[in-house]
Amino acid sequence: MSVARHWRETPGRYNLIGKRCGNCGKVFFPRRSLCPECRRASIGKMEDHKLKDEGTVFTYSVVHEAPHDSSILRPYAVAMIEMEEGVLITGQLVDVDIEKIEIGMPVRAVLRKIGEEGHSGIINYGYKFTPKN
C-alpha cells in the first residue's frame, strides 16, 4: 500500500471517526474495540461513529518554545477540545489571535497540513481547530 493511500484511509486523522458503544451509547475517540464501562457486554457492539466537527475549548496552552521543525509557528496554541459528543480531543488552534483564545470558545475541526516526512517531502494532513464563525 502506498504511503498516500495509507494516510488517506486513516479514519481518525481525516474524518474524526471514533466508536460508539452499542450497549451504553458512550462515544470514544480515538477508536477502541471495547467499552471500558460495559466491558464484555460491548464485544461486537462497538460501532463506527463520525464525530461532529464542532466543539468548545476545554483548556489550552500557548507554546513559545517549539521543536526545530515547528519553530516558524511560534507562538502557537494547543487545546483540549470538548466535542459535542463529550469526548476530549487535543489539537492545535489555528487562524486565531492567541490573545483572544478563551475557555468555552466555539471551534470547528478543519483539515490542515501537520508536517512533512524526511527528504522526500511527503506531506501529512490531519485535523486542527479554528474559531467557529
Side-chain angles (χ1 to χ4, degrees), residues 67-128:
H68 176 70
D69 59 341
S70 299
S71 62
I72 196 167
L73 302 172
R74 292 184 300 188
Y76 62 92
V78 177
M80 292 290 296
I81 307 299
E82 185 172 13
M83 302 303 285
E84 286 190 15
E85 293 86 350
V87 297
L88 291 173
I89 299 179
T90 304
Q92 183 181 355
L93 294 174
V94 294
D95 301 336
V96 63
D97 181 352
I98 289 177
E99 302 296 323
K100 294 183 179 176
I101 298 171
E102 55 188 43
I103 293 173
M105 180 173 76
V107 294
R108 66 182 179 87
V110 293
L111 186 65
R112 296 289 172 88
K113 177 181 172 182
I114 292 182
E116 295 179 19
E117 282 188 32
H119 300 293
S120 62
I122 296 171
I123 298 173
N124 295 319
Y125 292 92
Y127 58 84
K128 294 185 180 185

Side-chain angles (χ1 to χ4, degrees), residues 55-67:
T56 58
V57 174
F58 181 77
T59 189
Y60 70 96
S61 181
V62 176
V63 178
H64 293 279
E65 292 299 322

Side-chain angles (χ1 to χ4, degrees), residues 25-69:
K26 190 165 181 169
V27 177
F28 300 96
F29 185 87
R31 297 160 43 141
R32 59 187 324 150
S33 58
L34 191 68
C35 174
E37 306 278 330
C38 300
R39 299 183 186 173
R40 294 181 128 201
S42 69
I43 294 174
K45 297 180 182 176
M46 298 297 286
E47 305 158 349
D48 283 349
H49 177 78
K50 184 171 185 337
L51 299 175
K52 295 178 181 152
D53 66 350
E54 298 179 351
T56 58
V57 174
F58 181 77
T59 189
Y60 70 96
S61 181
V62 176
V63 178
H64 293 279
E65 292 299 322
H68 176 70
D69 59 341

